[in-house]
Structure formats: structure tokens, C-alpha cells
Amino acid sequence: RYTGRTDMDKKTEEERRERTTDIFASWALEGMYPSEKTLADAQAYIKGEKTLEEILKETLEDARRDSDD
């Protein structure tokens, strides 16, 4: 049964922090940096307060709202 959680969501806080740090480092190598919203979402994800699916859903909703303006 699908629970809305990915394998990454099941990792420990330290594992989520390491993976997130790796992703941001990769972005930096490409000259890309996370927004304040992305950093806040990352912190919530690392702490286990939000799943990746929840963050993606919110991001898509924000993008739809922005495109309607």
C-alpha cells in the first residue's frame, strides 16, 4: 500500500541531511543556489516534518498560482 513516503523519507535525519547537502553542493558547482523557500523546505524535510511528496505538491501548487497571476 502506498503511504506517500519515499525511501529517502525513511532515512535517518543525518542521512537526509547528508543527501540534501550533497544536492546543494552539486547545484553550487553548476552556479545554482536554493531560494529561502527551498532552504526552509529542506530543513523541514531533514527534520522529518515534511515528506518529499508534500514539498513537491506545495511547489507545484505555488507554480500554478504564480502562472495564474
Side-chain angles (χ1 to χ4, degrees):
R1 185 184 124 180
Y2 181 67
T3 63
R5 292 200 171 264
T6 67
D7 286 341
M8 272 306 298
D9 294 323
K10 297 175 188 173
K11 302 287 185 188
T12 66
E13 184 172 331
E14 183 59 30
E15 289 171 316
R16 289 190 301 269
R17 182 183 328 283
E18 288 177 17
R19 296 284 177 109
T20 302
T21 300
D22 289 348
I23 290 166
F24 288 162
S26 178
W27 288 5
L29 290 172
E30 297 295 326
M32 301 182 305
Y33 300 92
S35 66
E36 287 186 31
K37 168 89 169 83
T38 300
L39 289 173
D41 285 341
Q43 285 299 320
Y45 167 70
I46 290 166
K47 292 178 182 178
E49 298 168 352
K50 288 184 179 181
T51 65
L52 293 175
E53 183 173 346
E54 291 167 333
I55 293 168
L56 179 58
K57 181 180 176 187
E58 290 172 7
T59 301
L60 291 172
E61 288 170 359
D62 290 346
R64 286 187 189 111
R65 250 191 320 275
D66 289 347
S67 70
D68 290 340
D69 292 339

Short mmCIF file of all heavy atoms in Angstrom, two decimals:
data_model
loop_
_atom_site.label_atom_id
_atom_site.label_comp_id
_atom_site.label_asym_id
_atom_site.label_seq_id
_atom_site.Cartn_x
_atom_site.Cartn_y
_atom_site.Cartn_z
N ARG A 1 0.83 -1.19 0.00
CA ARG A 1 0.00 0.00 0.00
C ARG A 1 0.87 1.25 0.00
O ARG A 1 1.83 1.34 0.75
CB ARG A 1 -0.87 -0.04 1.25
CG ARG A 1 -1.87 1.06 1.30
CD ARG A 1 -2.62 1.01 2.58
NE ARG A 1 -2.43 2.33 3.17
CZ ARG A 1 -2.92 2.73 4.29
NH1 ARG A 1 -3.58 1.91 5.04
NH2 ARG A 1 -2.72 3.94 4.71
N TYR A 2 0.51 2.24 -0.83
CA TYR A 2 1.28 3.47 -0.95
C TYR A 2 0.98 4.38 0.24
O TYR A 2 -0.17 4.65 0.54
CB TYR A 2 0.94 4.17 -2.26
CG TYR A 2 1.73 5.44 -2.45
CD1 TYR A 2 3.10 5.39 -2.65
CD2 TYR A 2 1.11 6.67 -2.41
CE1 TYR A 2 3.83 6.54 -2.82
CE2 TYR A 2 1.83 7.83 -2.58
CZ TYR A 2 3.19 7.76 -2.78
OH TYR A 2 3.91 8.91 -2.95
N THR A 3 2.03 4.85 0.90
CA THR A 3 1.85 5.70 2.08
C THR A 3 2.21 7.15 1.83
O THR A 3 2.08 7.98 2.73
CB THR A 3 2.73 5.19 3.25
OG1 THR A 3 4.10 5.29 2.85
CG2 THR A 3 2.38 3.77 3.62
N GLY A 4 2.71 7.47 0.63
CA GLY A 4 3.12 8.83 0.35
C GLY A 4 4.54 9.13 0.79
O GLY A 4 5.01 10.23 0.70
N ARG A 5 5.24 8.12 1.27
CA ARG A 5 6.62 8.31 1.71
C ARG A 5 7.55 7.56 0.75
O ARG A 5 7.27 6.46 0.33
CB ARG A 5 6.82 7.78 3.13
CG ARG A 5 6.08 8.60 4.15
CD ARG A 5 6.67 8.37 5.53
NE ARG A 5 6.10 9.30 6.47
CZ ARG A 5 6.69 10.45 6.81
NH1 ARG A 5 7.82 10.79 6.29
NH2 ARG A 5 6.13 11.24 7.70
N THR A 6 8.67 8.21 0.44
CA THR A 6 9.67 7.58 -0.41
C THR A 6 10.72 6.90 0.47
O THR A 6 10.74 7.09 1.68
CB THR A 6 10.37 8.63 -1.29
OG1 THR A 6 11.15 9.49 -0.44
CG2 THR A 6 9.38 9.45 -2.10
N ASP A 7 11.60 6.13 -0.15
CA ASP A 7 12.70 5.51 0.59
C ASP A 7 13.55 6.57 1.29
O ASP A 7 14.04 6.36 2.39
CB ASP A 7 13.57 4.66 -0.32
CG ASP A 7 12.90 3.35 -0.70
OD1 ASP A 7 11.94 2.94 0.00
OD2 ASP A 7 13.33 2.75 -1.69
N MET A 8 13.74 7.73 0.63
CA MET A 8 14.53 8.80 1.25
C MET A 8 13.85 9.33 2.50
O MET A 8 14.51 9.72 3.45
CB MET A 8 14.77 9.95 0.26
CG MET A 8 16.00 9.77 -0.60
SD MET A 8 17.52 9.46 0.34
CE MET A 8 17.68 10.94 1.29
N ASP A 9 12.52 9.37 2.52
CA ASP A 9 11.80 9.85 3.70
C ASP A 9 12.04 8.93 4.89
O ASP A 9 11.95 9.35 6.04
CB ASP A 9 10.29 9.94 3.43
CG ASP A 9 9.94 11.00 2.41
OD1 ASP A 9 10.58 12.07 2.41
OD2 ASP A 9 9.02 10.76 1.62
N LYS A 10 12.33 7.66 4.63
CA LYS A 10 12.53 6.67 5.68
C LYS A 10 13.94 6.70 6.27
O LYS A 10 14.21 6.04 7.25
CB LYS A 10 12.22 5.27 5.15
CG LYS A 10 10.78 5.11 4.71
CD LYS A 10 10.57 3.75 4.07
CE LYS A 10 9.19 3.66 3.46
NZ LYS A 10 9.03 2.43 2.68
N LYS A 11 14.83 7.46 5.65
CA LYS A 11 16.21 7.55 6.13
C LYS A 11 16.24 8.30 7.46
O LYS A 11 15.30 8.97 7.84
CB LYS A 11 17.09 8.29 5.11
CG LYS A 11 17.13 7.67 3.74
CD LYS A 11 17.93 6.42 3.72
CE LYS A 11 18.05 5.88 2.31
NZ LYS A 11 18.64 4.59 2.24
N THR A 12 17.38 8.20 8.14
CA THR A 12 17.54 8.95 9.39
C THR A 12 17.72 10.43 9.07
O THR A 12 18.02 10.81 7.94
CB THR A 12 18.77 8.46 10.17
OG1 THR A 12 19.95 8.79 9.43
CG2 THR A 12 18.71 6.97 10.45
N GLU A 13 17.57 11.25 10.10
CA GLU A 13 17.76 12.68 9.92
C GLU A 13 19.16 12.98 9.38
O GLU A 13 19.32 13.81 8.48
CB GLU A 13 17.53 13.41 11.24
CG GLU A 13 17.62 14.91 11.12
CD GLU A 13 17.20 15.65 12.36
OE1 GLU A 13 16.36 15.13 13.13
OE2 GLU A 13 17.71 16.76 12.58
N GLU A 14 20.15 12.30 9.90
CA GLU A 14 21.53 12.52 9.44
C GLU A 14 21.68 12.13 7.97
O GLU A 14 22.34 12.84 7.20
CB GLU A 14 22.52 11.74 10.30
CG GLU A 14 23.97 11.98 9.93
CD GLU A 14 24.40 13.45 10.03
OE1 GLU A 14 23.85 14.20 10.87
OE2 GLU A 14 25.28 13.85 9.24
N GLU A 15 21.08 11.03 7.56
CA GLU A 15 21.16 10.62 6.15
C GLU A 15 20.45 11.63 5.25
O GLU A 15 20.95 11.97 4.18
CB GLU A 15 20.55 9.24 5.96
CG GLU A 15 21.38 8.12 6.56
CD GLU A 15 20.66 6.79 6.56
OE1 GLU A 15 19.46 6.74 6.92
OE2 GLU A 15 21.31 5.79 6.21
N ARG A 16 19.29 12.13 5.70
CA ARG A 16 18.58 13.14 4.90
C ARG A 16 19.41 14.42 4.81
O ARG A 16 19.48 15.05 3.76
CB ARG A 16 17.19 13.42 5.49
CG ARG A 16 16.22 12.27 5.31
CD ARG A 16 14.79 12.66 5.67
NE ARG A 16 14.64 13.11 7.04
CZ ARG A 16 14.35 12.34 8.08
NH1 ARG A 16 14.16 11.04 7.91
NH2 ARG A 16 14.22 12.86 9.29
N ARG A 17 20.08 14.80 5.90
CA ARG A 17 20.92 16.00 5.91
C ARG A 17 22.10 15.82 4.92
O ARG A 17 22.40 16.72 4.13
CB ARG A 17 21.46 16.29 7.30
CG ARG A 17 22.31 17.55 7.39
CD ARG A 17 22.90 17.81 8.77
NE ARG A 17 22.12 17.37 9.89
CZ ARG A 17 21.04 17.98 10.40
NH1 ARG A 17 20.61 19.09 9.84
NH2 ARG A 17 20.40 17.48 11.44
N GLU A 18 22.75 14.67 4.97
CA GLU A 18 23.88 14.41 4.08
C GLU A 18 23.45 14.45 2.61
O GLU A 18 24.13 15.06 1.77
CB GLU A 18 24.52 13.07 4.40
CG GLU A 18 25.30 13.06 5.69
CD GLU A 18 25.87 11.69 6.03
OE1 GLU A 18 25.93 10.82 5.14
OE2 GLU A 18 26.24 11.51 7.19
N ARG A 19 22.34 13.81 2.29
CA ARG A 19 21.85 13.80 0.90
C ARG A 19 21.49 15.20 0.43
O ARG A 19 21.79 15.59 -0.69
CB ARG A 19 20.63 12.88 0.75
CG ARG A 19 20.91 11.42 1.02
CD ARG A 19 21.64 10.78 -0.16
NE ARG A 19 21.95 9.42 0.12
CZ ARG A 19 21.36 8.38 -0.45
NH1 ARG A 19 20.43 8.54 -1.35
NH2 ARG A 19 21.73 7.16 -0.13
N THR A 20 20.83 15.96 1.31
CA THR A 20 20.44 17.32 0.96
C THR A 20 21.67 18.20 0.76
O THR A 20 21.74 18.97 -0.21
CB THR A 20 19.52 17.90 2.05
OG1 THR A 20 18.37 17.06 2.19
CG2 THR A 20 19.05 19.30 1.70
N THR A 21 22.65 18.05 1.62
CA THR A 21 23.90 18.81 1.47
C THR A 21 24.58 18.46 0.16
O THR A 21 25.07 19.36 -0.55
CB THR A 21 24.84 18.52 2.66
OG1 THR A 21 24.19 18.92 3.87
CG2 THR A 21 26.16 19.24 2.53
N ASP A 22 24.61 17.19 -0.20
CA ASP A 22 25.20 16.76 -1.47
C ASP A 22 24.47 17.41 -2.66
O ASP A 22 25.11 17.84 -3.63
CB ASP A 22 25.15 15.24 -1.62
CG ASP A 22 26.12 14.52 -0.70
OD1 ASP A 22 27.00 15.19 -0.10
OD2 ASP A 22 25.98 13.29 -0.55
N ILE A 23 23.15 17.45 -2.59
CA ILE A 23 22.37 18.04 -3.68
C ILE A 23 22.69 19.53 -3.81
O ILE A 23 22.94 20.03 -4.91
CB ILE A 23 20.86 17.82 -3.45
CG1 ILE A 23 20.53 16.34 -3.65
CG2 ILE A 23 20.03 18.71 -4.37
CD1 ILE A 23 19.15 15.94 -3.14
N PHE A 24 22.70 20.25 -2.69
CA PHE A 24 23.00 21.68 -2.74
C PHE A 24 24.43 21.94 -3.23
O PHE A 24 24.68 22.91 -3.93
CB PHE A 24 22.76 22.34 -1.39
CG PHE A 24 21.29 22.48 -1.03
CD1 PHE A 24 20.92 22.70 0.28
CD2 PHE A 24 20.29 22.40 -1.98
CE1 PHE A 24 19.58 22.84 0.63
CE2 PHE A 24 18.95 22.53 -1.65
CZ PHE A 24 18.59 22.76 -0.34
N ALA A 25 25.35 21.08 -2.85
CA ALA A 25 26.74 21.22 -3.32
C ALA A 25 26.81 21.02 -4.83
O ALA A 25 27.51 21.76 -5.53
CB ALA A 25 27.65 20.23 -2.60
N SER A 26 26.07 20.05 -5.33
CA SER A 26 26.03 19.81 -6.77
C SER A 26 25.46 21.02 -7.50
O SER A 26 25.97 21.44 -8.54
CB SER A 26 25.19 18.57 -7.06
OG SER A 26 25.08 18.33 -8.44
N TRP A 27 24.39 21.58 -6.95
CA TRP A 27 23.80 22.79 -7.54
C TRP A 27 24.84 23.91 -7.59
O TRP A 27 24.97 24.60 -8.60
CB TRP A 27 22.61 23.27 -6.74
CG TRP A 27 21.38 22.44 -6.82
CD1 TRP A 27 21.21 21.25 -7.46
CD2 TRP A 27 20.12 22.75 -6.22
NE1 TRP A 27 19.92 20.80 -7.29
CE2 TRP A 27 19.24 21.70 -6.54
CE3 TRP A 27 19.67 23.79 -5.44
CZ2 TRP A 27 17.92 21.69 -6.10
CZ3 TRP A 27 18.36 23.78 -5.00
CH2 TRP A 27 17.48 22.74 -5.34
N ALA A 28 25.57 24.10 -6.48
CA ALA A 28 26.56 25.18 -6.39
C ALA A 28 27.63 25.02 -7.46
O ALA A 28 28.09 26.02 -8.04
CB ALA A 28 27.17 25.23 -5.00
N LEU A 29 28.02 23.80 -7.73
CA LEU A 29 29.00 23.56 -8.79
C LEU A 29 28.49 24.02 -10.15
O LEU A 29 29.27 24.37 -11.03
CB LEU A 29 29.38 22.08 -8.85
CG LEU A 29 30.20 21.55 -7.67
CD1 LEU A 29 30.32 20.03 -7.77
CD2 LEU A 29 31.57 22.21 -7.63
N GLU A 30 27.19 24.02 -10.30
CA GLU A 30 26.56 24.47 -11.55
C GLU A 30 26.17 25.95 -11.50
O GLU A 30 25.53 26.46 -12.41
CB GLU A 30 25.31 23.62 -11.85
CG GLU A 30 25.60 22.15 -12.06
CD GLU A 30 26.44 21.89 -13.30
OE1 GLU A 30 26.29 22.62 -14.30
OE2 GLU A 30 27.27 20.96 -13.26
N GLY A 31 26.52 26.61 -10.38
CA GLY A 31 26.19 28.03 -10.24
C GLY A 31 24.76 28.29 -9.81
O GLY A 31 24.26 29.40 -9.98
N MET A 32 24.10 27.28 -9.27
CA MET A 32 22.71 27.42 -8.83
C MET A 32 22.66 27.35 -7.30
O MET A 32 23.40 26.57 -6.70
CB MET A 32 21.85 26.31 -9.42
CG MET A 32 21.84 26.28 -10.93
SD MET A 32 20.78 25.02 -11.66
CE MET A 32 21.36 23.52 -10.91
N TYR A 33 21.79 28.19 -6.73
CA TYR A 33 21.69 28.22 -5.28
C TYR A 33 20.22 28.19 -4.88
O TYR A 33 19.37 28.76 -5.57
CB TYR A 33 22.38 29.47 -4.74
CG TYR A 33 23.84 29.47 -5.11
CD1 TYR A 33 24.27 30.10 -6.28
CD2 TYR A 33 24.77 28.77 -4.37
CE1 TYR A 33 25.60 30.06 -6.66
CE2 TYR A 33 26.10 28.71 -4.74
CZ TYR A 33 26.51 29.36 -5.89
OH TYR A 33 27.82 29.30 -6.26
N PRO A 34 19.89 27.53 -3.76
CA PRO A 34 18.50 27.40 -3.35
C PRO A 34 17.92 28.72 -2.85
O PRO A 34 18.64 29.54 -2.27
CB PRO A 34 18.56 26.36 -2.22
CG PRO A 34 19.94 26.46 -1.69
CD PRO A 34 20.81 26.84 -2.85
N SER A 35 16.63 28.89 -3.08
CA SER A 35 15.92 30.06 -2.55
C SER A 35 15.70 29.87 -1.05
O SER A 35 15.91 28.77 -0.50
CB SER A 35 14.56 30.19 -3.24
OG SER A 35 13.73 29.08 -2.88
N GLU A 36 15.26 30.93 -0.38
CA GLU A 36 14.95 30.82 1.04
C GLU A 36 13.85 29.80 1.28
O GLU A 36 13.88 29.05 2.25
CB GLU A 36 14.57 32.18 1.61
CG GLU A 36 15.77 33.11 1.74
CD GLU A 36 15.43 34.41 2.44
OE1 GLU A 36 14.54 34.41 3.30
OE2 GLU A 36 16.08 35.41 2.12
N LYS A 37 12.86 29.76 0.38
CA LYS A 37 11.75 28.79 0.50
C LYS A 37 12.30 27.37 0.38
O LYS A 37 11.91 26.48 1.14
CB LYS A 37 10.72 29.06 -0.59
CG LYS A 37 9.67 27.97 -0.78
CD LYS A 37 8.48 28.16 0.11
CE LYS A 37 7.32 27.26 -0.26
NZ LYS A 37 7.37 25.92 0.28
N THR A 38 13.20 27.15 -0.57
CA THR A 38 13.79 25.83 -0.74
C THR A 38 14.59 25.43 0.48
O THR A 38 14.52 24.28 0.93
CB THR A 38 14.67 25.80 -2.00
OG1 THR A 38 13.85 26.11 -3.14
CG2 THR A 38 15.31 24.44 -2.21
N LEU A 39 15.33 26.37 1.05
CA LEU A 39 16.10 26.07 2.27
C LEU A 39 15.16 25.72 3.43
O LEU A 39 15.43 24.78 4.18
CB LEU A 39 16.98 27.27 2.65
CG LEU A 39 18.17 27.51 1.73
CD1 LEU A 39 18.85 28.83 2.11
CD2 LEU A 39 19.15 26.36 1.79
N ALA A 40 14.05 26.44 3.55
CA ALA A 40 13.08 26.14 4.61
C ALA A 40 12.46 24.76 4.39
O ALA A 40 12.29 23.99 5.35
CB ALA A 40 12.00 27.22 4.65
N ASP A 41 12.12 24.45 3.14
CA ASP A 41 11.57 23.13 2.83
C ASP A 41 12.59 22.04 3.13
O ASP A 41 12.24 20.97 3.66
CB ASP A 41 11.14 23.04 1.36
CG ASP A 41 9.85 23.77 1.08
OD1 ASP A 41 9.08 24.05 2.02
OD2 ASP A 41 9.60 24.06 -0.11
N ALA A 42 13.85 22.29 2.80
CA ALA A 42 14.91 21.31 3.06
C ALA A 42 15.04 21.05 4.56
O ALA A 42 15.18 19.91 4.99
CB ALA A 42 16.23 21.79 2.48
N GLN A 43 14.99 22.11 5.35
CA GLN A 43 15.08 21.93 6.81
C GLN A 43 13.90 21.11 7.33
O GLN A 43 14.09 20.23 8.18
CB GLN A 43 15.13 23.30 7.51
CG GLN A 43 16.46 23.99 7.39
CD GLN A 43 17.58 23.18 8.03
OE1 GLN A 43 17.42 22.57 9.08
NE2 GLN A 43 18.72 23.15 7.38
N ALA A 44 12.71 21.40 6.84
CA ALA A 44 11.52 20.64 7.26
C ALA A 44 11.65 19.18 6.85
O ALA A 44 11.28 18.27 7.60
CB ALA A 44 10.26 21.26 6.66
N TYR A 45 12.19 18.94 5.67
CA TYR A 45 12.40 17.57 5.19
C TYR A 45 13.44 16.85 6.05
O TYR A 45 13.21 15.72 6.51
CB TYR A 45 12.85 17.59 3.72
CG TYR A 45 13.37 16.26 3.26
CD1 TYR A 45 12.51 15.18 3.10
CD2 TYR A 45 14.72 16.08 3.01
CE1 TYR A 45 12.98 13.95 2.70
CE2 TYR A 45 15.20 14.85 2.61
CZ TYR A 45 14.34 13.79 2.45
OH TYR A 45 14.81 12.57 2.07
N ILE A 46 14.55 17.51 6.31
CA ILE A 46 15.62 16.90 7.11
C ILE A 46 15.10 16.52 8.49
O ILE A 46 15.39 15.44 9.01
CB ILE A 46 16.83 17.86 7.21
CG1 ILE A 46 17.53 17.95 5.85
CG2 ILE A 46 17.80 17.40 8.30
CD1 ILE A 46 18.52 19.10 5.75
N LYS A 47 14.29 17.39 9.08
CA LYS A 47 13.75 17.15 10.43
C LYS A 47 12.62 16.11 10.43
O LYS A 47 12.15 15.71 11.49
CB LYS A 47 13.24 18.45 11.03
CG LYS A 47 14.33 19.44 11.34
CD LYS A 47 13.74 20.72 11.88
CE LYS A 47 14.81 21.74 12.14
NZ LYS A 47 14.22 23.01 12.62
N GLY A 48 12.16 15.73 9.24
CA GLY A 48 11.08 14.76 9.15
C GLY A 48 9.70 15.39 9.29
O GLY A 48 8.71 14.70 9.48
N GLU A 49 9.63 16.72 9.17
CA GLU A 49 8.35 17.43 9.30
C GLU A 49 7.53 17.40 8.01
O GLU A 49 6.32 17.55 8.05
CB GLU A 49 8.61 18.88 9.71
CG GLU A 49 9.29 19.01 11.05
CD GLU A 49 9.81 20.40 11.36
OE1 GLU A 49 9.79 21.28 10.48
OE2 GLU A 49 10.24 20.60 12.50
N LYS A 50 8.22 17.23 6.87
CA LYS A 50 7.56 17.15 5.57
C LYS A 50 8.20 16.03 4.76
O LYS A 50 9.40 15.78 4.88
CB LYS A 50 7.73 18.45 4.76
CG LYS A 50 6.94 19.61 5.24
CD LYS A 50 7.14 20.77 4.28
CE LYS A 50 6.34 21.98 4.69
NZ LYS A 50 6.53 23.09 3.73
N THR A 51 7.39 15.38 3.93
CA THR A 51 7.92 14.39 3.01
C THR A 51 8.29 15.08 1.70
O THR A 51 7.88 16.21 1.44
CB THR A 51 6.89 13.29 2.71
OG1 THR A 51 5.78 13.89 2.00
CG2 THR A 51 6.40 12.59 3.96
N LEU A 52 9.07 14.37 0.88
CA LEU A 52 9.39 14.91 -0.45
C LEU A 52 8.12 15.12 -1.27
O LEU A 52 7.99 16.10 -1.99
CB LEU A 52 10.35 13.98 -1.17
CG LEU A 52 11.75 13.87 -0.56
CD1 LEU A 52 12.56 12.82 -1.31
CD2 LEU A 52 12.45 15.22 -0.56
N GLU A 53 7.18 14.21 -1.12
CA GLU A 53 5.91 14.33 -1.86
C GLU A 53 5.16 15.60 -1.45
O GLU A 53 4.62 16.31 -2.30
CB GLU A 53 5.04 13.11 -1.65
CG GLU A 53 3.75 13.18 -2.46
CD GLU A 53 2.94 11.90 -2.40
OE1 GLU A 53 3.46 10.86 -1.98
OE2 GLU A 53 1.77 11.96 -2.80
N GLU A 54 5.12 15.89 -0.16
CA GLU A 54 4.44 17.10 0.32
C GLU A 54 5.11 18.36 -0.23
O GLU A 54 4.42 19.29 -0.66
CB GLU A 54 4.43 17.14 1.85
CG GLU A 54 3.54 16.10 2.48
CD GLU A 54 3.77 15.94 3.97
OE1 GLU A 54 4.88 16.21 4.47
OE2 GLU A 54 2.80 15.55 4.64
N ILE A 55 6.43 18.37 -0.23
CA ILE A 55 7.16 19.53 -0.74
C ILE A 55 6.91 19.69 -2.24
O ILE A 55 6.67 20.82 -2.70
CB ILE A 55 8.66 19.39 -0.43
CG1 ILE A 55 8.88 19.49 1.09
CG2 ILE A 55 9.48 20.44 -1.18
CD1 ILE A 55 10.27 19.09 1.55
N LEU A 56 6.93 18.62 -2.98
CA LEU A 56 6.67 18.68 -4.41
C LEU A 56 5.26 19.19 -4.68
O LEU A 56 5.05 20.07 -5.53
CB LEU A 56 6.88 17.31 -5.06
CG LEU A 56 6.62 17.24 -6.56
CD1 LEU A 56 7.49 18.22 -7.32
CD2 LEU A 56 6.84 15.83 -7.07
N LYS A 57 4.29 18.68 -3.95
CA LYS A 57 2.90 19.11 -4.13
C LYS A 57 2.77 20.62 -3.87
O LYS A 57 2.15 21.34 -4.65
CB LYS A 57 1.98 18.33 -3.19
CG LYS A 57 0.53 18.69 -3.33
CD LYS A 57 -0.34 17.88 -2.39
CE LYS A 57 -1.78 18.33 -2.49
NZ LYS A 57 -2.62 17.68 -1.48
N GLU A 58 3.36 21.10 -2.78
CA GLU A 58 3.31 22.53 -2.46
C GLU A 58 3.99 23.35 -3.55
O GLU A 58 3.50 24.42 -3.93
CB GLU A 58 3.97 22.80 -1.12
CG GLU A 58 3.20 22.27 0.06
CD GLU A 58 3.98 22.37 1.37
OE1 GLU A 58 5.08 22.97 1.38
OE2 GLU A 58 3.49 21.84 2.38
N THR A 59 5.12 22.88 -4.04
CA THR A 59 5.86 23.59 -5.07
C THR A 59 5.05 23.70 -6.35
O THR A 59 4.99 24.76 -6.98
CB THR A 59 7.21 22.90 -5.34
OG1 THR A 59 7.95 22.87 -4.11
CG2 THR A 59 8.01 23.62 -6.40
N LEU A 60 4.41 22.60 -6.74
CA LEU A 60 3.57 22.62 -7.94
C LEU A 60 2.37 23.55 -7.77
O LEU A 60 2.01 24.28 -8.70
CB LEU A 60 3.11 21.20 -8.28
CG LEU A 60 4.20 20.26 -8.78
CD1 LEU A 60 3.66 18.84 -8.91
CD2 LEU A 60 4.77 20.75 -10.09
N GLU A 61 1.76 23.55 -6.58
CA GLU A 61 0.64 24.46 -6.32
C GLU A 61 1.09 25.91 -6.39
O GLU A 61 0.39 26.75 -6.95
CB GLU A 61 0.02 24.15 -4.95
CG GLU A 61 -0.75 22.85 -4.93
CD GLU A 61 -1.17 22.41 -3.53
OE1 GLU A 61 -0.84 23.11 -2.54
OE2 GLU A 61 -1.84 21.37 -3.43
N ASP A 62 2.27 26.21 -5.82
CA ASP A 62 2.81 27.57 -5.89
C ASP A 62 3.05 27.98 -7.33
O ASP A 62 2.74 29.11 -7.73
CB ASP A 62 4.12 27.67 -5.10
CG ASP A 62 3.92 27.58 -3.60
OD1 ASP A 62 2.77 27.69 -3.12
OD2 ASP A 62 4.94 27.38 -2.90
N ALA A 63 3.61 27.08 -8.14
CA ALA A 63 3.89 27.38 -9.55
C ALA A 63 2.59 27.64 -10.32
O ALA A 63 2.53 28.56 -11.14
CB ALA A 63 4.67 26.24 -10.19
N ARG A 64 1.58 26.86 -10.03
CA ARG A 64 0.29 27.07 -10.71
C ARG A 64 -0.31 28.42 -10.33
O ARG A 64 -0.83 29.13 -11.18
CB ARG A 64 -0.67 25.94 -10.36
CG ARG A 64 -0.35 24.65 -11.06
CD ARG A 64 -1.42 23.59 -10.83
NE ARG A 64 -0.95 22.33 -11.34
CZ ARG A 64 -0.63 21.28 -10.59
NH1 ARG A 64 -0.78 21.33 -9.28
NH2 ARG A 64 -0.18 20.17 -11.13
N ARG A 65 -0.23 28.76 -9.05
CA ARG A 65 -0.74 30.05 -8.58
C ARG A 65 0.02 31.19 -9.24
O ARG A 65 -0.60 32.17 -9.69
CB ARG A 65 -0.61 30.16 -7.06
CG ARG A 65 -1.89 30.10 -6.32
CD ARG A 65 -1.77 30.48 -4.86
NE ARG A 65 -0.59 29.99 -4.18
CZ ARG A 65 -0.47 28.78 -3.61
NH1 ARG A 65 -1.46 27.94 -3.66
NH2 ARG A 65 0.64 28.44 -3.00
N ASP A 66 1.33 31.06 -9.32
CA ASP A 66 2.15 32.11 -9.93
C ASP A 66 1.83 32.28 -11.42
O ASP A 66 1.87 33.38 -11.94
CB ASP A 66 3.65 31.81 -9.75
CG ASP A 66 4.10 31.98 -8.30
OD1 ASP A 66 3.33 32.57 -7.50
OD2 ASP A 66 5.20 31.51 -7.99
N SER A 67 1.53 31.16 -12.10
CA SER A 67 1.25 31.25 -13.53
C SER A 67 -0.13 31.84 -13.79
O SER A 67 -0.38 32.37 -14.87
CB SER A 67 1.37 29.88 -14.19
OG SER A 67 0.31 29.03 -13.78
N ASP A 68 -1.01 31.80 -12.79
CA ASP A 68 -2.35 32.38 -12.93
C ASP A 68 -2.34 33.90 -12.73
O ASP A 68 -3.27 34.58 -13.12
CB ASP A 68 -3.33 31.75 -11.93
CG ASP A 68 -3.67 30.31 -12.27
OD1 ASP A 68 -3.46 29.91 -13.43
OD2 ASP A 68 -4.11 29.58 -11.37
N ASP A 69 -1.28 34.41 -12.12
CA ASP A 69 -1.19 35.86 -11.84
C ASP A 69 -0.87 36.67 -13.06
O ASP A 69 -0.40 36.38 -14.01
CB ASP A 69 -0.15 36.14 -10.75
CG ASP A 69 -0.59 35.58 -9.39
OD1 ASP A 69 -1.79 35.35 -9.22
OD2 ASP A 69 0.28 35.39 -8.54
#
